[in-house]
């Protein structure tokens, strides 16, 4: 399964590079920088993650302008869309993309690829670290949201990290929304503090510090109809 996935990513990457070479002489247009709603509504979290992997494997991201990043991402994502035999509803953290997320992804393709690739990483890490990774409102969920924001911060500006995190909560309400927004912001602020002290900050270092802070009660979880501080329970 892993070999087949890697092979598919490699083929899509080669196709995308070919298209980019052929298209080099064309003038940039706004349509080349955005995705259609139909395409976004047909993508899964894994599709975004694959697009980001193809992009980063075949390009020096730091050497590209924002316009070039958007344009290359659109080509890759449209290739993925065309290759899909079944058009299915995308799921981020097990929930379909809401209207706000769809519009953001359509207008900011590169940022969406980075954001939802980051959510895929967060999902993998919570599954590796917690006994009940899919449980809502507990320590695992607090980690997932905070770590998602940390991971996004490695790739995106704080403006876009907050935009995508807030968009995910657009249809939420009550204590659950308050909890998620708090933990999202905590993750962003933790990244900013740590990277200011260590310009070579790694995801593993940020993860270790975040787990420590969850055990120390710095994040929030929902217990019944109350928000309470996180603790060290639920770890593998």
């Amino acid at each position: 399964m892993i070999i087949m996935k890697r092979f598919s990513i490699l083929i899509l990457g080669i196709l995308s590079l070919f298209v980019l070479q052929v298209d080099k002489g064309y003038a940039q247009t706004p349509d080349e920088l955005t995705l259609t709603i139909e395409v976004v509504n047909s993508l899964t979290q894994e599709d975004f993650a694959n697009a980001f992997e193809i992009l980063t494997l075949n390009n020096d991201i730091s050497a590209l302008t924002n316009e070039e990043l958007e344009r290359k991402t659109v080509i890759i994502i449209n290739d993925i869309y065309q290759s899909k035999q079944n058009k299915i509803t995308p799921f981020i953290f097990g929930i379909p993309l809401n209207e706000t997320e769809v519009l953001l992804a359509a207008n900011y393709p590169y940022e969406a690829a980075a954001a939802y690739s980051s959510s895929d990483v967060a999902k993998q890490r919570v599954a590796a670290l917690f006994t009940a990774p899919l449980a809502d409102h507990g320590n695992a969920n607090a980690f997932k949201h905070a770590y998602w924001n940390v991971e996004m911060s490695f790739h995106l500006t704080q403006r876009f990290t907050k935009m995508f995190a807030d968009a995910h909560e657009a249809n939420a309400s009550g204590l659950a929304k308050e909890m998620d927004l708090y933990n999202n912001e905590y993750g962003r602020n933790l990244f900013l503090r740590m990277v200011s002290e260590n310009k070579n900050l790694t995801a593993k270092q940020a993860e270790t510090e975040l787990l420590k802070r969850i055990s120390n009660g710095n994040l929030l979880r929902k217990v019944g109809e109350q928000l309470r501080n996180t603790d060290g329970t639920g770890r593998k």
Side-chain angles (χ1 to χ4, degrees), residues 22-204:
V22 170
D23 199 39
K24 257 184 181 176
Y26 288 86
Q28 190 78 5
T29 66
D31 288 341
E32 292 175 318
L33 302 178
T34 59
L35 296 167
T36 67
I37 299 300
E38 177 187 356
V39 168
V40 177
N41 276 328
S42 300
L43 298 176
T44 65
Q45 175 174 303
E46 187 176 42
D47 293 329
F48 281 106
N50 286 346
F52 191 70
E53 184 172 358
I54 292 169
L55 182 69
T56 53
L57 281 174
N58 294 309
N59 298 276
D60 178 4
I61 300 299
S62 63
L64 299 176
T65 66
N66 288 341
E67 203 168 83
E68 288 170 332
L69 285 171
E70 302 292 6
R71 186 166 179 263
K72 288 175 182 283
T73 305
V74 166
I75 291 173
I76 294 168
I77 288 178
N78 281 332
D79 283 348
I80 291 174
Y81 170 74
Q82 291 297 330
S83 72
K84 290 171 71 72
Q85 293 182 347
N86 299 311
K87 305 299 187 290
I88 58 177
T89 302
F91 287 81
I92 307 301
F93 292 160
I95 303 172
L97 287 177
N98 61 48
E99 185 176 326
T100 305
E101 290 175 302
V102 168
L103 290 174
L104 263 183
N107 285 288
Y108 300 105
Y110 166 72
E111 288 79 6
Y116 297 132
S117 173
S118 297
S119 73
D120 191 53
V121 173
K123 183 176 69 174
Q124 293 172 29
R125 294 311 301 149
V126 76
L129 294 166
F130 289 86
T131 56
L134 299 180
D136 268 342
H137 312 317
N139 292 322
N141 187 264
F143 171 85
K144 181 168 62 178
H145 278 269
Y147 189 77
W148 177 34
N149 281 260
V150 168
E151 185 68 27
M152 278 196 288
S153 296
F154 278 102
H155 308 294
L156 300 174
T157 65
Q158 289 296 291
R159 170 175 171 256
F160 278 112
T161 299
K162 185 177 187 303
M163 281 173 61
F164 277 91
D166 287 352
H168 185 64
E169 307 302 330
N171 295 339
S173 61
L175 291 178
K177 181 173 185 175
E178 184 179 343
M179 168 191 164
D180 289 344
L181 289 175
Y182 178 89
N183 292 331
N184 288 343
E185 183 177 11
Y186 195 96
R188 294 193 298 273
N189 288 338
L190 178 62
F191 172 85
L192 288 176
R193 285 195 296 272
M194 292 189 73
V195 82
S196 69
E197 298 169 357
N198 177 11
K199 299 300 182 185
N200 298 313
L201 178 69
T202 66
K204 184 62 178 177

